[in-house]
Amino acid sequence: MSNNSILIKNARIVNQGEVFSGDVLIKRGRIEKVDSSIQYNASKEINAEGLFLLPGLIDDQVHFREPGLTHKADIWHESRAAVAGGTTSFMEMPNTVPNTLTQELLEEKYQRAAEVSLANYSFYMGASNDNLAEVLRTNPRDVCGIKVFMGSSTGNMLVDNSETLSNIFAEAPMLIATHCEDEATIKRNIEQYKAQYGEDIQIEHHPLIRSADACFISSSKAVELAKKHDARLHILHISTAKEVGLFDNKKPLAEKRITAEACVHHLWFSDADYVKKGNFIKWNPAVKTSDDRDGILAGLLSGKIDVIATDHAPHTLQEKEGKYLEAPSGGPLVQHALLALLDLVDQKKLTMEQLVEKTAHNTATCFQIENRGFIKEGYWADLVLVDPANPFQVKRDNILSKCGWSPFLNHTFSHSIHTTIVSGQVVYENGKIQEASTGHRLLFNR
């Protein structure tokens, strides 16, 4: 028997556009062998008959709220929610308190994750109107990207100085990820709705205030800057059908200079859901019309949109229960993202192969992640087994995010997460977190 080895038997493996039956052998954290049948006396054997084996999800956009906002969430809780949902790696945003605007603050987040995160991790360096020198010190080898808020943010993170924006796009040594909403358009819309409704603006007005025009104006500007400077641009959480037209599918993903992300909530909800869900589906950018939702899905299937993520951004239940103008935008999604996408597979909106492509393969390719995102020999074993015969109902007592609520509360998903493996360690199995070693810092082939 070999110590620190896992043999997964009889799985339905989904990888690189194929679904096939086979076994996977893991040794020393990496995938040693993938074959139709493997005979090996491993220290742990998992009978995966009837289960699908997927590469673990790589979520390129989460807000885990640490440091400074840990009453809402923290890396310890949210990484557990992630692995319970089959997400094995995350990339976390810089709008914490303090904002991650120096290399020293960035490194502190990595040190904290090394202590407590069950999932693999990376953190974005934040850009502001006045920290370009710090941004340019970022190491492309071990940092996922530079985050630019070209729309509403907290602290000193709204980059609205045209010269600064131009300099970032001209000089950044790595991928630039942008939040695109035009602040002037949003402010103008808020004033119009306040003039009409006073402080009694309703959640149904949210997609009209944070409008499709606001998104398109800002996304268009980002694309224009990227083309002008040949920058590596990745636009986050596309929320309108109109924005899809800004992207193309003419080149292989590895050769694209401009890429885009869709989020689970923009693929699942529409403005018709505000009546029942209220502030619990209040996000920035806003959930918009069913036509926008369908257009985003069509963009994914055509290859114009490249990856699916969550924009996991918890707030407390008390905060979300406030009036529209008081309630913050964002919600918890990492625990239920894969399950929601598997429901879309059941609805014939996605195939299993497309799900894996958009949540693992393409994210790894887009960010040039080293040795992750595929079920390939020599790669790190970041894997999830899902059970299509065992539905999962979201209840308050099985929500692992620190905030304790979910926009999917009481929904029954068609699949459940059976086992999650992170860097070769079983971290979730049979409904329980396994206290294995912590995840690894992601590295990038740049």
Side-chain angles (χ1 to χ4, degrees):
M1 181 183 294
S2 173
N3 292 329
N4 197 26
S5 60
I6 302 171
L7 179 59
I8 302 172
K9 295 286 291 182
N10 306 312
R12 296 161 72 187
I13 300 168
V14 187
N15 189 58
Q16 293 184 283
E18 294 184 290
V19 182
F20 57 95
S21 298
D23 301 348
V24 175
L25 177 62
I26 301 164
K27 285 186 181 180
R28 295 177 293 278
R30 294 184 182 256
I31 297 170
E32 176 85 4
K33 190 175 183 181
V34 181
D35 207 340
S36 57
S37 181
I38 300 172
Q39 302 303 317
Y40 187 82
N41 190 19
S43 51
K44 180 179 179 66
E45 185 171 310
I46 299 172
N47 178 12
E49 189 169 354
L51 307 179
F52 287 101
L53 180 66
L54 320 177
L57 272 64
I58 305 172
D59 194 336
D60 74 359
Q61 187 188 185
V62 303
H63 301 261
F64 281 1
R65 306 300 192 196
E66 188 173 355
L69 298 166
T70 53
H71 66 287
K72 302 173 188 276
D74 56 48
I75 295 170
W76 189 89
H77 281 91
E78 308 317 301
S79 70
R80 278 155 175 71
V83 299
T87 292
T88 54
S89 300
F90 65 82
M91 303 179 203
E92 205 265 353
M93 290 297 166
N95 55 333
T96 45
V97 179
N99 299 155
T100 314
L101 296 174
T102 69
Q103 296 298 322
E104 290 71 25
L105 289 170
L106 178 63
E107 194 56 38
E108 286 176 13
K109 293 176 82 169
Y110 280 104
Q111 291 170 5
R112 178 59 175 162
E115 295 170 353
V116 300
S117 180
L118 274 189
N120 304 315
Y121 50 87
S122 193
F123 295 89
Y124 288 89
M125 176 63 184
S128 71
N129 280 328
D130 51 19
N131 77 331
L132 181 61
E134 278 292 293
V135 166
L136 296 180
R137 291 175 57 204
T138 308
N139 185 355
R141 171 68 174 151
D142 61 8
V143 177
C144 54
I146 295 161
K147 175 63 183 290
V148 178
F149 284 91
M150 294 175 65
S152 184
S153 183
T154 54
N156 185 35
M157 295 209 67
L158 174 62
V159 183
D160 55 2
N161 181 293
S162 296
E163 184 179 353
T164 300
L165 269 176
S166 185
N167 287 336
I168 291 171
F169 276 79
E171 300 181 44
M174 57 202 294
L175 180 145
I176 302 166
T178 57
H179 176 130
C180 288
E181 291 182 285
D182 182 63
E183 196 70 11
T185 301
I186 292 167
K187 286 181 178 178
R188 189 164 57 248
N189 290 341
I190 288 174
E191 291 309 311
Q192 289 175 356
Y193 276 86
K194 279 187 174 180
Q196 186 172 356
Y197 295 97
E199 296 299 309
D200 198 32
I201 301 174
Q202 299 299 305
I203 183 62
E204 290 86 352
H205 300 134
H206 187 57
L208 304 174
I209 292 170
R210 307 192 77 91
S211 64
D213 284 346
C215 294
F216 187 78
I217 289 167
S218 185
S219 295
S220 299
K221 183 176 182 180
V223 168
E224 180 184 347
L225 283 166
K227 288 180 177 178
K228 178 180 178 180
H229 297 290
D230 192 31
R232 177 65 185 90
L233 170 66
H234 184 60
I235 298 186
L236 304 169
H237 43 44
I238 296 299
S239 64
T240 73
K242 187 176 181 181
E243 287 172 287
V244 175
L246 294 170
F247 310 102
D248 67 56
N249 52 9
K250 297 172 185 176
K251 292 183 179 179
L253 177 56
E255 297 177 15
K256 285 187 179 184
R257 298 293 289 164
I258 299 172
T259 53
E261 167 210 279
C263 285
V264 170
H265 48 288
H266 293 129
L267 293 168
W268 185 279
F269 299 107
S270 77
D271 56 2
D273 295 304
Y274 286 117
V275 174
K276 288 186 178 180
K277 296 289 185 178
N279 291 333
F280 295 112
I281 60 166
K282 183 185 179 186
W283 277 280
N284 298 340
V287 168
K288 298 183 175 66
T289 69
S290 58
D291 286 344
D292 287 310
R293 180 181 60 194
D294 294 345
I296 296 165
L297 179 61
L300 273 168
L301 299 181
S302 72
K304 290 186 174 183
I305 298 179
D306 305 285
V307 303
I308 302 173
T310 66
D311 193 16
H312 174 91
H315 299 283
T316 67
L317 191 60
Q318 183 178 9
E319 288 170 327
K320 292 297 275 188
E321 287 176 336
K323 290 184 177 181
Y324 166 73
L325 287 173
E326 300 168 354
S329 294
L333 283 169
V334 289
Q335 187 175 351
H336 306 122
L338 175 55
L339 296 178
L341 295 173
L342 288 165
D343 269 17
L344 296 186
V345 171
D346 276 3
Q347 296 165 23
K348 309 297 184 187
K349 294 180 179 179
L350 281 173
T351 66
M352 205 67 136
E353 298 93 320
Q354 289 166 333
L355 185 162
V356 166
E357 177 186 53
K358 299 295 183 178
T359 61
H361 299 342
N362 281 8
T363 320
T365 300
C366 186
F367 284 81
Q368 299 170 283
I369 303 172
E370 184 174 274
N371 294 335
R372 299 188 190 273
F374 296 82
I375 304 177
K376 292 173 68 172
E377 293 173 3
Y379 275 51
W380 287 102
D382 297 330
L383 304 168
V384 55
L385 284 163
V386 298
D387 187 348
N390 187 19
F392 178 85
Q393 185 178 24
V394 181
K395 301 177 181 178
R396 291 210 183 273
D397 63 3
N398 60 29
I399 294 170
L400 298 184
S401 286
K402 189 174 184 178
C403 66
W405 64 272
S406 166
F408 293 113
L409 183 65
N410 297 322
H411 180 78
T412 299
F413 291 109
S414 59
H415 291 61
S416 59
I417 308 300
H418 183 280
T419 302
T420 305
I421 297 171
V422 174
S423 295
Q425 300 288 330
V426 174
V427 295
Y428 180 82
E429 190 174 31
N430 298 323
K432 295 182 179 179
I433 296 289
Q434 304 296 317
E435 297 294 339
S437 60
T438 53
H440 294 185
R441 181 171 182 164
L442 298 176
L443 297 176
F444 304 89
N445 289 318
R446 301 170 177 150

mmCIF file of all heavy atoms in Angstrom, residues 117-137:
data_model
loop_
_atom_site.group_PDB
_atom_site.id
_atom_site.type_symbol
_atom_site.label_atom_id
_atom_site.label_comp_id
_atom_site.label_asym_id
_atom_site.label_seq_id
_atom_site.Cartn_x
_atom_site.Cartn_y
_atom_site.Cartn_z
ATOM 1 N N SER A 117 -7.313 28.404 4.591
ATOM 2 C CA SER A 117 -8.155 28.085 3.432
ATOM 3 C C SER A 117 -8.073 26.614 3.059
ATOM 4 O O SER A 117 -6.988 26.087 2.802
ATOM 5 C CB SER A 117 -7.744 28.930 2.222
ATOM 6 O OG SER A 117 -8.561 28.600 1.109
ATOM 7 N N LEU A 118 -9.231 25.962 2.969
ATOM 8 C CA LEU A 118 -9.264 24.580 2.482
ATOM 9 C C LEU A 118 -9.131 24.516 0.973
ATOM 10 O O LEU A 118 -8.731 23.493 0.428
ATOM 11 C CB LEU A 118 -10.567 23.887 2.903
ATOM 12 C CG LEU A 118 -10.603 23.222 4.273
ATOM 13 C CD1 LEU A 118 -11.871 22.400 4.417
ATOM 14 C CD2 LEU A 118 -9.387 22.338 4.511
ATOM 15 N N ALA A 119 -9.488 25.588 0.282
ATOM 16 C CA ALA A 119 -9.395 25.629 -1.177
ATOM 17 C C ALA A 119 -8.084 26.285 -1.599
ATOM 18 O O ALA A 119 -7.450 27.018 -0.830
ATOM 19 C CB ALA A 119 -10.573 26.414 -1.760
ATOM 20 N N ASN A 120 -7.662 26.020 -2.835
ATOM 21 C CA ASN A 120 -6.536 26.750 -3.411
ATOM 22 C C ASN A 120 -6.948 28.206 -3.597
ATOM 23 O O ASN A 120 -8.128 28.512 -3.777
ATOM 24 C CB ASN A 120 -6.140 26.153 -4.758
ATOM 25 C CG ASN A 120 -5.829 24.674 -4.662
ATOM 26 O OD1 ASN A 120 -5.127 24.229 -3.758
ATOM 27 N ND2 ASN A 120 -6.375 23.894 -5.589
ATOM 28 N N TYR A 121 -5.980 29.111 -3.627
ATOM 29 C CA TYR A 121 -6.326 30.527 -3.553
ATOM 30 C C TYR A 121 -5.373 31.408 -4.361
ATOM 31 O O TYR A 121 -4.221 31.077 -4.601
ATOM 32 C CB TYR A 121 -6.298 30.995 -2.093
ATOM 33 C CG TYR A 121 -5.018 30.617 -1.372
ATOM 34 C CD1 TYR A 121 -3.888 31.435 -1.416
ATOM 35 C CD2 TYR A 121 -4.921 29.408 -0.673
ATOM 36 C CE1 TYR A 121 -2.706 31.081 -0.784
ATOM 37 C CE2 TYR A 121 -3.748 29.042 -0.037
ATOM 38 C CZ TYR A 121 -2.641 29.871 -0.096
ATOM 39 O OH TYR A 121 -1.470 29.511 0.521
ATOM 40 N N SER A 122 -5.935 32.544 -4.794
ATOM 41 C CA SER A 122 -5.153 33.641 -5.316
ATOM 42 C C SER A 122 -5.913 34.923 -4.998
ATOM 43 O O SER A 122 -7.130 34.895 -4.765
ATOM 44 C CB SER A 122 -4.913 33.516 -6.825
ATOM 45 O OG SER A 122 -3.912 34.425 -7.253
ATOM 46 N N PHE A 123 -5.198 36.049 -4.990
ATOM 47 C CA PHE A 123 -5.801 37.330 -4.647
ATOM 48 C C PHE A 123 -5.397 38.376 -5.678
ATOM 49 O O PHE A 123 -4.246 38.440 -6.107
ATOM 50 C CB PHE A 123 -5.355 37.782 -3.249
ATOM 51 C CG PHE A 123 -5.834 36.875 -2.151
ATOM 52 C CD1 PHE A 123 -5.072 35.781 -1.756
ATOM 53 C CD2 PHE A 123 -7.051 37.095 -1.532
ATOM 54 C CE1 PHE A 123 -5.518 34.922 -0.751
ATOM 55 C CE2 PHE A 123 -7.504 36.247 -0.529
ATOM 56 C CZ PHE A 123 -6.742 35.152 -0.138
ATOM 57 N N TYR A 124 -6.367 39.198 -6.069
ATOM 58 C CA TYR A 124 -6.102 40.287 -7.012
ATOM 59 C C TYR A 124 -5.424 41.454 -6.308
ATOM 60 O O TYR A 124 -5.751 41.781 -5.160
ATOM 61 C CB TYR A 124 -7.409 40.804 -7.621
ATOM 62 C CG TYR A 124 -8.059 39.898 -8.613
ATOM 63 C CD1 TYR A 124 -8.970 38.924 -8.206
ATOM 64 C CD2 TYR A 124 -7.810 40.026 -9.981
ATOM 65 C CE1 TYR A 124 -9.604 38.097 -9.124
ATOM 66 C CE2 TYR A 124 -8.446 39.206 -10.907
ATOM 67 C CZ TYR A 124 -9.337 38.237 -10.466
ATOM 68 O OH TYR A 124 -9.969 37.420 -11.374
ATOM 69 N N MET A 125 -4.524 42.103 -7.025
ATOM 70 C CA MET A 125 -3.988 43.384 -6.599
ATOM 71 C C MET A 125 -4.975 44.467 -7.014
ATOM 72 O O MET A 125 -5.458 44.476 -8.156
ATOM 73 C CB MET A 125 -2.633 43.630 -7.257
ATOM 74 C CG MET A 125 -2.028 44.985 -6.962
ATOM 75 S SD MET A 125 -1.678 45.225 -5.204
ATOM 76 C CE MET A 125 -1.116 46.933 -5.222
ATOM 77 N N GLY A 126 -5.300 45.376 -6.113
ATOM 78 C CA GLY A 126 -6.267 46.419 -6.407
ATOM 79 C C GLY A 126 -5.629 47.658 -7.014
ATOM 80 O O GLY A 126 -4.505 48.036 -6.655
ATOM 81 N N ALA A 127 -6.340 48.280 -7.933
ATOM 82 C CA ALA A 127 -5.911 49.543 -8.534
ATOM 83 C C ALA A 127 -6.792 50.670 -8.013
ATOM 84 O O ALA A 127 -7.993 50.487 -7.781
ATOM 85 C CB ALA A 127 -5.993 49.468 -10.052
ATOM 86 N N SER A 128 -6.171 51.843 -7.849
ATOM 87 C CA SER A 128 -6.911 53.050 -7.480
ATOM 88 C C SER A 128 -6.446 54.180 -8.401
ATOM 89 O O SER A 128 -5.650 53.957 -9.321
ATOM 90 C CB SER A 128 -6.659 53.415 -6.013
ATOM 91 O OG SER A 128 -5.330 53.886 -5.843
ATOM 92 N N ASN A 129 -6.913 55.371 -8.130
ATOM 93 C CA ASN A 129 -6.484 56.513 -8.946
ATOM 94 C C ASN A 129 -5.031 56.928 -8.684
ATOM 95 O O ASN A 129 -4.466 57.703 -9.449
ATOM 96 C CB ASN A 129 -7.395 57.722 -8.697
ATOM 97 C CG ASN A 129 -8.700 57.634 -9.474
ATOM 98 O OD1 ASN A 129 -8.744 57.085 -10.572
ATOM 99 N ND2 ASN A 129 -9.764 58.159 -8.899
ATOM 100 N N ASP A 130 -4.428 56.393 -7.607
ATOM 101 C CA ASP A 130 -3.107 56.905 -7.227
ATOM 102 C C ASP A 130 -2.123 55.839 -6.748
ATOM 103 O O ASP A 130 -1.228 56.135 -5.958
ATOM 104 C CB ASP A 130 -3.259 57.994 -6.155
ATOM 105 C CG ASP A 130 -4.127 57.549 -4.986
ATOM 106 O OD1 ASP A 130 -4.319 56.335 -4.811
ATOM 107 O OD2 ASP A 130 -4.605 58.433 -4.246
ATOM 108 N N ASN A 131 -2.245 54.595 -7.218
ATOM 109 C CA ASN A 131 -1.276 53.586 -6.775
ATOM 110 C C ASN A 131 -0.633 52.821 -7.939
ATOM 111 O O ASN A 131 -0.276 51.647 -7.803
ATOM 112 C CB ASN A 131 -1.915 52.601 -5.786
ATOM 113 C CG ASN A 131 -2.798 51.561 -6.463
ATOM 114 O OD1 ASN A 131 -3.384 51.828 -7.518
ATOM 115 N ND2 ASN A 131 -2.891 50.375 -5.869
ATOM 116 N N LEU A 132 -0.465 53.480 -9.078
ATOM 117 C CA LEU A 132 0.063 52.793 -10.252
ATOM 118 C C LEU A 132 1.432 52.165 -9.985
ATOM 119 O O LEU A 132 1.697 51.042 -10.434
ATOM 120 C CB LEU A 132 0.156 53.761 -11.435
ATOM 121 C CG LEU A 132 0.671 53.150 -12.750
ATOM 122 C CD1 LEU A 132 -0.239 52.034 -13.231
ATOM 123 C CD2 LEU A 132 0.803 54.234 -13.831
ATOM 124 N N ALA A 133 2.292 52.844 -9.251
ATOM 125 C CA ALA A 133 3.625 52.297 -8.968
ATOM 126 C C ALA A 133 3.521 50.979 -8.211
ATOM 127 O O ALA A 133 4.270 50.016 -8.496
ATOM 128 C CB ALA A 133 4.451 53.309 -8.180
ATOM 129 N N GLU A 134 2.600 50.902 -7.266
ATOM 130 C CA GLU A 134 2.397 49.656 -6.518
ATOM 131 C C GLU A 134 1.839 48.563 -7.421
ATOM 132 O O GLU A 134 2.255 47.403 -7.359
ATOM 133 C CB GLU A 134 1.429 49.888 -5.352
ATOM 134 C CG GLU A 134 2.059 50.484 -4.128
ATOM 135 C CD GLU A 134 3.034 49.536 -3.452
ATOM 136 O OE1 GLU A 134 2.605 48.507 -2.925
ATOM 137 O OE2 GLU A 134 4.245 49.842 -3.461
ATOM 138 N N VAL A 135 0.882 48.922 -8.265
ATOM 139 C CA VAL A 135 0.294 47.957 -9.197
ATOM 140 C C VAL A 135 1.375 47.329 -10.073
ATOM 141 O O VAL A 135 1.395 46.107 -10.304
ATOM 142 C CB VAL A 135 -0.788 48.638 -10.070
ATOM 143 C CG1 VAL A 135 -1.170 47.754 -11.256
ATOM 144 C CG2 VAL A 135 -2.024 48.951 -9.236
ATOM 145 N N LEU A 136 2.304 48.141 -10.538
ATOM 146 C CA LEU A 136 3.333 47.652 -11.461
ATOM 147 C C LEU A 136 4.363 46.768 -10.772
ATOM 148 O O LEU A 136 5.153 46.102 -11.449
ATOM 149 C CB LEU A 136 4.016 48.831 -12.151
ATOM 150 C CG LEU A 136 3.110 49.682 -13.053
ATOM 151 C CD1 LEU A 136 3.889 50.821 -13.695
ATOM 152 C CD2 LEU A 136 2.432 48.826 -14.122
ATOM 153 N N ARG A 137 4.348 46.724 -9.458
ATOM 154 C CA ARG A 137 5.231 45.814 -8.713
ATOM 155 C C ARG A 137 4.659 44.403 -8.610
ATOM 156 O O ARG A 137 5.327 43.492 -8.127
ATOM 157 C CB ARG A 137 5.474 46.345 -7.304
ATOM 158 C CG ARG A 137 6.308 47.618 -7.224
ATOM 159 C CD ARG A 137 6.380 48.109 -5.782
ATOM 160 N NE ARG A 137 6.937 47.082 -4.888
ATOM 161 C CZ ARG A 137 6.710 47.017 -3.575
ATOM 162 N NH1 ARG A 137 5.898 47.894 -2.995
ATOM 163 N NH2 ARG A 137 7.264 46.070 -2.843
#
